[in-house]
Amino acid sequence: MTDLAGVRASPNVLAPHYSRFRVAERLLLTGHSHQAWPDVAALGQAEAFDDAALDVDRKWAKAFARAERVRAGFRAWLGDPLGEVVLGASTHDLVVRLLSALDLRRRPRLVTSDGEFHTLRRQLGRLAEEGVELVRLPAAPASTLAARAAAAVDDRTAAVLLSAVLFETSRLVPGLGEVAAVCRRRGAQLVIDAYHALGVLQLPIHAMGLGSAWVTGGGYKYLQLGEGNCFLRLPPHAATLRPVITGWFAEFDTLAGGARPGETAYGPGATRWAGSTYDPTSHYRASRVLEFFAGHGLTPSFLRSVYRHQVGVLCEAFDALDAPAAVITRDRTVSVGDLGGFLALRTPHSARLQAGLAERGVATDSRGDYLRLGPAPYLSDTQLRDAVGELGTLVRGLA
């Protein structure tokens, strides 16, 4: 089983399992965006091809079994072993199905923040152009966002849509259970974007008071599952809604759907929210990666300790640069415990610094005025400090 000492070591004890991505040879600080895949992911992709070649159209029984393993994996990360989970190629695909089930004529109000990822930012903005009332609360300060969102819910509110961790700043959003309680009383839906929380935080939704919430996210980032592995966790009352955007897979087991003659039928449970024919390769890959995580002890609690340590290393290394605040800075009023899985540095030179780091062999990314440094469990402390050292060289050239 992996321990923190092995992660901190140089080379990192996990690095040999990521040889195809050459993580020991490169400074890949893109862990908040696209993490490396363990080598076993390639085995999963090959297995998808082999099953198709052997069984042709009868491959779907095997593919559905892989999909169920992926659902079980997401349930485990959410501490929701009996929960209903629907899979999708993207969170946008799943959120659009959910939005299509809301009665926006009777309750035309949606509450969100200005710190949501582009999936929500763009889609909700477009709905606002069509007359939906959109309340965009300032994401900052994150410490009060949940309370402000709860206060904004009224009887005209169809849904509140918020992130558990803000994608630009890495700030945790505490108090989401308070929003869930208000939404239950008011008859509104609560949708939690957990993409930047899953694999970084312990996210036991029932203990957090989120049993009545919809939770969406995916494995492209911290879970290393690659593309096509997103999910929507359904609250118990999901069975009372009828999504307008619906695929033919939702007709499976329609005899249990209770439809009247002439009415579109839906299957039970997660089937009600299903889409259509998809590429199952992603689920083969994901099931192998989930097995790898389990075999190496990469549990929610362990990974939380890894990311807290690694983000702390980045903070200490950056502080040691003593960089001019006008050039680049971090919010020192925020503790490492209030951050997710990456460090966001504010700078008017974010794109320039990202490009300069890439030229020096350090992969990062930028969002607006933020340069984002994302560690991963396969990187050593030495690699993290080396990457910040390269940033320091560039910053001194701008001072």
Side-chain angles (χ1 to χ4, degrees):
M1 302 294 279
T2 311
D3 60 18
L4 190 55
V7 171
R8 297 182 61 181
S10 185
N12 181 304
V13 70
L14 290 172
H17 298 287
Y18 297 81
S19 64
R20 301 285 287 273
F21 273 77
R22 298 187 291 113
V23 300
E25 306 165 33
R26 300 194 285 176
L27 298 178
L28 297 177
L29 268 75
T30 53
H32 55 294
S33 180
H34 186 313
Q35 290 210 4
W37 304 341
D39 295 338
V40 295
L43 176 61
Q45 298 205 165
E47 289 170 336
F49 186 96
D50 290 343
D51 281 354
L54 177 65
D55 296 323
V56 196
D57 201 39
R58 291 183 298 170
K59 70 185 180 185
W60 286 104
K62 294 178 179 177
F64 291 159
R66 297 284 183 143
E68 182 52 36
R69 292 186 203 175
V70 178
R71 289 190 194 93
F74 285 130
R75 292 187 192 106
W77 285 99
L78 296 172
D80 191 28
L82 301 179
E84 293 279 8
V85 172
V86 61
L87 303 177
S90 69
T91 56
H92 180 256
D93 178 26
L94 296 165
V95 169
V96 165
R97 287 183 222 169
L98 169 55
L99 290 172
S100 78
L102 303 180
D103 187 354
L104 293 175
R105 286 169 293 193
R106 188 173 64 88
R107 302 180 73 121
R109 193 166 187 260
L110 299 174
V111 176
T112 187
S113 86
D114 64 5
E116 303 307 310
F117 188 69
H118 307 303
T119 296
L120 289 179
R121 176 195 57 78
R122 177 178 171 83
Q123 190 61 70
L124 298 184
R126 184 66 185 90
L127 287 172
E129 292 177 356
E130 295 300 315
V132 173
E133 181 184 347
L134 183 62
V135 179
R136 271 204 176 105
L137 304 170
S143 59
T144 65
L145 176 55
R148 288 182 283 118
V153 177
D154 60 19
D155 292 337
R156 298 175 64 254
T157 303
V160 178
L161 305 99
L162 295 174
S163 291
V165 176
L166 299 174
F167 86 102
E168 281 187 314
T169 64
S170 192
R171 288 294 309 275
L172 275 61
V173 179
L176 292 172
E178 175 186 352
V179 188
V182 171
C183 286
R184 284 196 303 273
R185 289 199 301 271
R186 293 283 195 169
Q189 308 297 326
L190 174 61
V191 184
I192 301 297
D193 180 349
Y195 222 133
H196 274 285
L198 214 65
V200 175
L201 309 176
Q202 293 179 274
L203 203 68
I205 58 172
H206 293 286
M208 296 172 66
L210 298 176
S212 61
W214 307 75
V215 183
T216 191
Y220 183 74
K221 305 177 189 298
Y222 306 95
L223 295 183
Q224 305 172 12
L225 306 182
E227 298 85 350
N229 285 297
C230 291
F231 74 93
L232 180 64
R233 181 267 177 185
L234 310 177
H237 64 270
T240 66
L241 301 180
R242 303 176 73 246
V244 175
I245 307 300
T246 181
W248 74 275
F249 274 30
E251 292 180 348
F252 288 179
D253 304 319
T254 52
L255 290 179
R260 295 185 291 271
E263 183 180 74
T264 301
Y266 295 83
T271 303
R272 168 178 292 262
W273 297 87
S276 300
T277 309
Y278 63 95
D279 180 1
T281 305
S282 58
H283 296 158
Y284 278 79
R285 181 179 63 240
S287 64
R288 281 293 183 177
V289 175
L290 289 168
E291 290 172 5
F292 172 82
F293 269 49
H296 289 269
L298 304 182
T299 63
S301 59
F302 176 69
L303 288 174
R304 180 55 178 155
S305 68
V306 169
Y307 284 107
R308 287 188 68 155
H309 168 73
Q310 291 186 325
V311 173
V313 169
L314 291 173
C315 288
E316 291 173 6
F318 175 77
D319 291 349
L321 298 179
D322 197 24
V327 176
I328 189 169
T329 188
R330 73 175 184 91
D331 187 350
R332 288 180 172 81
T333 67
V334 178
S335 71
V336 172
D338 291 327
L339 298 177
F342 65 95
L343 176 62
L345 301 172
R346 191 152 201 169
T347 170
H349 311 287
S350 59
R352 181 176 175 182
L353 287 171
Q354 179 192 352
L357 286 168
E359 291 175 358
R360 304 177 78 88
V362 182
T364 63
D365 79 350
S366 60
R367 300 283 187 180
D369 288 337
Y370 289 99
L371 177 71
R372 303 192 303 175
L373 309 181
Y378 44 74
L379 296 179
S380 69
D381 286 9
T382 298
Q383 288 176 293
L384 301 180
R385 294 189 181 101
D386 287 347
V388 177
E390 297 293 346
L391 174 62
T393 298
L394 293 174
V395 167
R396 285 190 290 274
L398 295 172

